[in-house]
């Protein structure tokens, strides 16, 4: 009797411990709604959102309910949807489409030389991690991101944005004057104005029809992006070797949702997000080459800037430098630390092997 009475409490304790462990495991699991405003074919969805979600699900109890192509949240509405609880994760949160709300994130769209998707992705991750103060006691991340109540990671940056036309050859500054070209952002508008062209702002999804009808004679876009919109059938001339910037955007969740996850899951998520960004960038750089080769077989010409006249090279370099200056001064007038951000960005780009236009370093040093 004595021995049996001892065994009962021990058995009950084991059962209770097992039940407690099961409850703890259940509490550690999370079902999260993840949304993309872009279609699966886009490299930020098929090559980032999907592998990120798959890897996190394989390594943690987290499970994602996935939505694509704006079926739940449209492009430019991601921040409101996150903060309103419609979604738990935006993949991507397209910062340039949130007008005025991510004023400093456009810094990656400033013109550069010798940059790639991989080098810019590395530089952008370093920008987010940098402790350098850009205003008061705030770093870039604290100023641009944390105050919005969200937690973000970079996607793979686009390949270099380039100027392309449906056939118009650009050998002199005069051939750019007044030329209607599609611009996808405020920064592209500045660049095209500096070049003397006429910017026509529209989403890339509307550009095929505009190019077909001759409403615009070309566009500013990365070659890798052509595949998403079938532009390789229309574009016949592209100037390479100078980047009209790179688009970057974010994987994002709210700080509240992030803090609900156990520490080990947060660590795994962070690691996978960073690794996926670099793999995404590597894939984008490969896609840039593949699309270019396919377009060349259809008669499209890619002309290195170094093969253009000295006057044209100087003209484009000056316009690129003036774009940096105009963006900085416009941003500063709005009370944002544009110059400090641009100075930090320039140093990070150069550390990854890129170059900034002549005259930019001198301006930033003033």
């Amino acid at each position: 009797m004595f021995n049996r009475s001892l065994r009962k409490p021990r058995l009950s304790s084991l059962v209770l411990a097992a039940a407690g462990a099961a409850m703890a495991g259940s509490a550690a699991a999370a079902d999260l709604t993840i949304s993309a405003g872009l279609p699966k074919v886009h490299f930020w969805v098929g090559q980032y959102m999907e592998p990120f979600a798959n890897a996190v699900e394989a390594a943690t109890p987290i499970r994602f309910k996935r939505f694509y192509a704006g079926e739940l949240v449209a492009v430019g509405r991601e921040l409101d949807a996150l903060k309103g609880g419609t979604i738990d994760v935006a993949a991507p949160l397209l910062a340039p489409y949130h007008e005025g709300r991510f004023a400093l994130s456009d810094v990656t769209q400033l013109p550069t030389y010798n940059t790639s998707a991989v080098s810019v992705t590395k530089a952008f991750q370093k920008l987010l991690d940098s402790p350098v103060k850009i205003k008061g006691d705030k770093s870039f991340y604290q100023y641009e991101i944390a105050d919005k109540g969200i937690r973000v990671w970079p996607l793979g940056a686009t390949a270099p944005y380039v100027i392309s036309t449906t056939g118009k050859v650009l050998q002199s500054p005069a051939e750019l004057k007044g030329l209607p070209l599609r611009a996808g952002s405020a920064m592209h508008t500045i660049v095209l104005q500096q070049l003397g062209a006429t910017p026509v702002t529209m989403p890339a999804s509307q550009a095929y029809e505009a190019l077909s009808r001759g409403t615009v004679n070309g566009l500013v876009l990365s070659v890798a992006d052509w595949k998403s919109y079938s532009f390789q059938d229309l574009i016949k001339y592209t100037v390479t070797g100078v980047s009209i910037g790179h688009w970057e955007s974010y994987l994002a969740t709210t700080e509240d949702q992030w803090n609900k996850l156990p520490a080990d899951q947060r660590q795994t998520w962070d690691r996978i997000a960073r690794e996926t960004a670099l793999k995404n960038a590597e894939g984008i750089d490969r896609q840039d080459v593949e699309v270019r080769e396919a377009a060349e077989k259809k008669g499209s010409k890619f002309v290195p800037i170094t093969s253009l006249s000295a006057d044209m090279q100087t003209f484009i370099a000056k316009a690129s430098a003036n774009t940096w200056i105009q963006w900085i001064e416009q941003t500063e007038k709005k009370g944002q630390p544009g110059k400090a951000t641009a100075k930090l960005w320039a140093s990070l780009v150069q550390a990854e092997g890129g170059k900034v236009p002549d005259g930019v370093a001198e301006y930033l040093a003033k």
Side-chain angles (χ1 to χ4, degrees), residues 238-353:
T238 298
V239 177
T240 64
V242 56
S243 167
I244 311 301
H246 298 251
W247 264 46
E248 256 290 13
S249 284
Y250 302 109
L251 168 74
T253 189
T254 64
E255 197 67 41
D256 287 344
Q257 180 59 61
W258 179 248
N259 289 330
K260 290 177 184 177
L261 298 176
D264 62 327
Q265 292 181 24
R266 293 199 300 267
Q267 184 178 13
T268 300
W269 175 312
D270 181 76
R271 173 181 58 78
I272 291 173
R274 291 167 183 261
E275 291 173 353
T276 305
L278 283 176
K279 290 176 183 176
N280 187 200
E282 290 166 359
I284 290 169
D285 278 335
R286 287 194 299 271
Q287 186 169 314
D288 201 67
V289 174
E290 291 165 2
V291 174
R292 171 175 173 161
E293 290 175 348
E296 284 177 324
K297 289 178 181 177
K298 294 184 178 183
S300 188
K301 293 184 178 179
F302 293 81
V303 180
I305 190 170
T306 52
S307 71
L308 300 179
S309 68
D311 285 348
M312 188 62 160
Q313 291 184 51
T314 301
F315 177 73
I316 291 174
K318 185 176 180 180
S320 297
N322 286 342
T323 298
W324 279 70
I325 295 169
Q326 184 174 337
W327 179 80
I328 290 168
E329 293 183 351
Q330 285 181 180
T331 306
E332 291 280 343
K333 283 181 181 178
K334 295 175 182 177
Q336 307 282 0
K339 191 168 186 179
T341 302
K343 187 174 183 179
L344 178 56
W345 178 243
S347 69
L348 295 171
V349 165
Q350 291 169 323
E352 295 298 332

Side-chain angles (χ1 to χ4, degrees), residues 32-57 64-72 87 89-93 154-156 250-252 269 272-273 276-277 279-280:
L32 304 179
T33 299
I34 188 169
S35 171
L38 301 171
K40 283 187 181 181
V41 69
H42 196 281
F43 49 61
W44 279 341
V45 182
Q47 297 177 37
Y48 188 95
M49 173 180 164
E50 289 290 84
F52 164 78
N54 290 342
V56 169
E57 287 184 341
F64 293 105
K65 187 174 182 181
R66 309 178 193 194
F67 293 87
Y68 308 95
E71 60 185 338
L72 188 59
I87 60 175
V89 186
L93 185 155
L155 308 178
Y250 302 109
L251 168 74
W269 175 312
I272 291 173
T276 305
K279 290 176 183 176
N280 187 200

Side-chain angles (χ1 to χ4, degrees), residues 4 27 31 43 65 79 90 95 102 106 112 148 156 158 179 195 209 219 228 230 232 235 281 285 297 316 322 349:
R4 281 197 296 270
D31 294 320
F43 49 61
K65 187 174 182 181
L79 181 60
F102 293 90
D106 285 352
T112 53
K148 296 176 177 63
T158 67
L179 187 69
L195 289 168
E209 184 176 357
L219 45 69
S228 299
S230 300
Q232 62 267 35
I235 299 300
D285 278 335
K297 289 178 181 177
I316 291 174
N322 286 342
V349 165

